[in-house]
Amino acid sequence: MGGCFSKPKPVEVKVEVVLPEKEREKEEMSPNGKASPLAYKANGTTRLYHHEERPIVLNPYTNPKDVVEASVCHVKDLENGQMREVDLGCGKALLVKQNGEYYAMGHKCPHYGAPLVKGVLSKGRVRCPWHGACFNIATGDIEDFPGLDGLPKFQVKIEKERVYIRASKQALQSQRRTKIMAKCIALSNYSTAITNILIIGAGPAGLVCAETLRQEGFSDRIVMCTSEKNLPYDRSKLSKSMDSQAEQIFLRSKEFFHTYDIEVLTETQVVSVDTKNKIVVFKDGFRMEYNKLLIATGSTPKTLKCKGKELDNVFTIRTPEDANKVVRLASSKNAVIVGASFLGMEVAAYLCEKAHSVSVVELENIPFKKFLGEKVGLAIMKMFENNRVKFYMQTEVSELREQEGKLKEVVLKSGKVLRADVCVIGIGACPTTGFLKQTGVALDSRGYIPVNKMMQTNVPGVFAAGDVITFPLAFRNNKKVNVPHWQMAHMQGRIAALNMLAQGTEINTVPYLWTAMFGKSLRYAGHGEGFDDVIIQGDIDELKFVAFYTRNDEVIAVASMNYDPIVSKVAEIMASGKMIRKRDVETGDISWLTGKGS
C-alpha cells in the first residue's frame, strides 16, 4: 500500500500536517526524539541519510487570517508549577508556567479528549489525568502513551506584564499535531520480495514502530503485515464500544499509510521465519527478505475445551466484525459471558442495556481478585449486580448445548443450566508465537519472547514488542514481566524502532491501564503482581476510592475510581524513580498525592 518514489528526490518543503479531530474517542500518537546520521543497509547497498533530508516545517502562521493573538492573563496570575486553561476567543489553550517560563499548547489530550489542566505537571511534561499519556510542554511531543499524536504548540510573549498567546485557529480547533515524517526514497530499487523493515503484526506496537521510523528520518522501505482484513485499529474498543464499525476505530486512515509510504499487507499470515537468511514465509508460499524484523503478533484468545465450543454463536471477540455480531445476536436475547476478565466484564456491561439477560460465569469467587484484590473486586461485582448482571462463581462450563445448530443452553459443572442465545468467551489469551518454533528466536515456557530493555531478542536484527514479550520492568527492579496493556505496546513499538536505528534507547515507562463499565472508569498504574496488602482510602461502596497495592514496604501499583488525577500522579512519581512507602499512604492523609504536582 502506498508506493515509493522511483528515484531519490530533492528535499521537499512541507507545512506540518494538522488532522481534524474526527471523534473524541480516536486513539492516535507520535513521539519525541532526533536521529543522527545513520547508515541503512538493504540489498547490499548502504545509503546514508542526514537531518537535512528531513522535511522542513514552515512557519505555521504564514496566513494572517488563520492567526489569533490574545492577552490571557497577568504575569502574576500563575505561579511556578501551575497550569491554566485559557480562552483565545476561537478556541482554548493550556498555559503552563514552570521554572519561570511560560508555555502554551493544546488543552485536550488527543487520545480521548481529557482536559489536561486536570492532569499532572512534572519536570517539563504534563500527564493526562485519564489514561496517562505524557506531553512535552516545550515541544508538544508525546513522550508516553496511549495515543498517536502530539499537541499543537503556540507562541507565548510577555508585554507590559501581560501574557499573550499567538496561535493558529486551525490548531486550536484540532487540538492535535501529527509529527512530520520522512517518505520512502525509492521503492523501485526493490523487488516486491525484499524490504528493509518488516513488521509482523499491525497493532499499536507495529504501527508506532513504523511511525517512529518515519519520524526519525528513516526513508527506506517499511512493510507491515497482518492476518486481519482491516488496517490497524483500536482493539481496546472491541469490548467497550461494540457497535463501532471497523472504519470508525481505525488508528490511521488509508491515506495516511499512502502518504508516508508504510505498506500494509492485510490477510497475510506468516508461517515461518528463517532468521539465518532473513527470510519470512507466508501462508500462501510468498517469501520476503528483510534487514530488520519486528515481531508484534499480539495474543490469541483461549477457547473452551468442552462440547459445543464450535457453535456459530459462541465467540472470542477478536475483530470489529465479531463485536458487531455479538451485539446483534444479544439484542433482547440471553447473553452468557464466560470469564470475569477485563474483556468479559466490559462486554457484560455493554450488553446490559441491549440484552434480555446477561450472565457471567467465573472460576474465581470474586471478579478481578488476583489483579485488584477482594475489596475492589467485590465493589465492582456489586455495581454489576445493581445493573442486573447475574454471576455464577466458582464454576466452569461443562457443555454448550445446541438446538438446530445454534447455541441454546450453557451447562455448568455446578449443574446449573443457563439459557443462552449468544456466548462470549473471555478466559485469557496466549502469545501468538507458534510460528517461531525452530527459528532460533528464544521462547520461554509459556510461549513469550524474552527481550532486553531495547526490545531485542536473542537473534541480532530481530526485535519484539507488545503482548508477545516479557521484558525487564525498570521500576520493579528489572523484573521480567509480561504487561499486555494498550499503553505499553505503544511504548515498546517506539523503543524497538529507535533501536533498529541503533540509538541505544532503553524502555523506562510505568504500566498504565483503564477500563470503563456503566459510565464508571477505573484507572490503574504500576505492576501489582505479588502484592501482599491493599490500602484503601475513600469510600469504596460509593466507588470513590483509591487503592494502593503494596509489597513489603513499597507501593507497587495504584487503582482508583472518581479520584483523578491520583493515578497519574503516582505514575509520575514511579516514573521519576522515587519510591512511595506503605507508611506514606496508611495514615489516611494523602493530600500530598492529590495535588497537581510541580
Side-chain angles (χ1 to χ4, degrees), residues 338-394:
V338 180
S341 59
F342 281 103
L343 180 142
M345 295 288 273
E346 287 171 358
V347 169
Y350 192 84
L351 294 180
C352 265
E353 292 184 359
K354 302 178 183 296
H356 172 71
S357 70
V358 177
S359 303
V360 175
V361 179
E362 168 59 36
L363 190 58
E364 294 288 337
N365 64 329
I366 298 171
F368 305 125
K369 180 179 177 180
K370 292 181 179 178
F371 192 81
L372 296 174
E374 287 191 17
K375 290 183 179 179
V376 176
L378 280 171
I380 293 174
M381 185 175 180
K382 182 180 177 182
M383 175 178 70
F384 273 74
E385 289 174 332
N386 290 340
N387 284 275
R388 51 181 205 89
V389 174
K390 180 70 175 175
F391 286 92
Y392 297 88
M393 308 301 284
Q394 295 181 284

Side-chain angles (χ1 to χ4, degrees), residues 197 208-218 222 497 500-501:
I197 302 291
V208 173
C209 179
E211 289 200 17
T212 301
L213 288 166
R214 288 288 185 244
Q215 290 162 3
E216 294 296 308
F218 182 80
I222 300 174
M500 285 179 173
L501 303 179

